């Protein structure tokens, strides 16, 4: 009793036009890097729920990869609270819900000391990168070699524009680099230090780090 239903023809729909003040701007982005996307690409937001830590952390999917014939992706090791138990971490994209589950923690390389590697000073715990490998879930689709490509200074993304990984670069002073983070979006800069040791907030000394505008990157 609240509505009247009338049958309409296809011609009636074809003649519908939006009012001038209701015109949709099709150039506006439909989503951001913090929304749900499949297949997975680098640069998207992920959330991690680790057993017995009582905390959910937010991070960025680095890039999809295959390790020893296992499909997965690489992300920052500091995304999990207990780095000694990577397999206790469950990964979601973009947020923590069963429908968004995309993988489980797999490998987090251990630290080494001066006895193992002389480049690590006595008394230090060292690593070469703040990274870990996540095993992809059976139902999670991913596109290997692709990273989301929003506009510079923005995290808005149309779901189609991407960077393609084609090789490994050698860091050098003045090299132009691009960073894509789920929260900060796309940022461009220049390498200011090609190789340096950086101590992280976890008191681990990270060796051979590349610094861009004063910030260390993997």
């Amino acid at each position: 009793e609240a509505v009247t239903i009338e049958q309409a023809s296809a011609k009636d729909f074809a003649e519908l036009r939006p009012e001038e003040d209701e015109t949709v701007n099709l150039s506006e982005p439909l989503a951001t890097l913090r929304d749900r996307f499949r297949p997975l690409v680098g640069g998207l937001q992920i959330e991690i729920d680790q057993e017995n830590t009582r905390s959910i952390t937010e991070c960025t999917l680095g890039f999809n990869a295959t390790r020893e014939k296992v499909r997965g992706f690489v992300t920052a090791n500091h995304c999990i609270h207990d780095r000694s138990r990577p397999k206790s971490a469950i990964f979601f994209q973009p947020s923590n819900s069963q429908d968004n589950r995309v993988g489980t923690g797999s490998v987090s390389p251990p630290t080494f000391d001066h006895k193992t590697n002389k480049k690590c000073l006595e008394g230090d715990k060292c690593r070469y990168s703040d990274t870990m490998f996540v095993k992809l879930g059976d139902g999670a689709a991913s596109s290997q070699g692709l990273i989301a490509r929003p506009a510079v200074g923005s995290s808005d993304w149309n779901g189609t524009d991407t960077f393609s990984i084609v090789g490994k670069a050698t860091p050098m002073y003045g090299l132009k680099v691009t960073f894509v983070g789920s929260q900060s979006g796309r940022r461009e800069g220049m390498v200011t230090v090609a190789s340096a040791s950086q101590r992280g907030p976890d008191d681990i000394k990270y060796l051979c780090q590349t610094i861009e505008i004063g910030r260390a990157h993997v």
Side-chain angles (χ1 to χ4, degrees), residues 13 32 93 105 138 171 181:
F13 286 106
T32 74
Q93 198 288 311
D138 293 336

Side-chain angles (χ1 to χ4, degrees), residues 44-88:
L44 298 178
Q45 175 177 289
I46 53 177
E47 283 191 352
I48 304 97
D49 186 2
Q50 190 172 20
E51 179 184 297
N52 297 329
T53 60
R54 298 182 180 180
S55 178
I56 295 174
T57 55
E58 217 170 60
C59 212
T60 297
L61 192 160
F63 56 90
N64 295 312
T66 299
R67 180 183 183 274
E68 296 180 352
K69 298 183 180 181
V70 176
R71 294 173 60 244
F73 58 84
V74 175
T75 188
N77 190 57
H78 70 254
C79 292
I80 60 175
H81 289 287
D82 188 347
R83 302 170 199 185
S84 65
R85 299 185 305 116
K87 294 183 179 180
S88 67

Side-chain angles (χ1 to χ4, degrees), residues 141-204:
S142 65
S143 293
Q144 193 155 322
L146 298 183
I147 296 177
R149 185 174 184 168
V152 176
S154 174
S155 62
D156 297 332
W157 187 48
N158 60 12
T160 57
D161 294 344
T162 56
F163 291 103
S164 294
I165 299 174
V166 297
K168 183 173 69 173
T170 300
M172 62 183 69
Y173 177 80
L175 180 69
K176 183 179 178 181
V177 292
T178 297
F179 171 84
V180 180
S182 61
Q183 309 304 312
S184 59
R186 177 180 166 190
R187 185 163 61 84
E188 295 185 342
M190 184 184 74
V191 172
T192 55
V193 179
S195 180
S197 296
Q198 293 279 311
R199 188 175 299 280
D202 49 10
D203 202 36
I204 295 175

Side-chain angles (χ1 to χ4, degrees), residues 4 117 122 124 148 166 170 181:
T4 299
N117 188 327
E122 290 189 11
D124 282 340
V166 297
T170 300

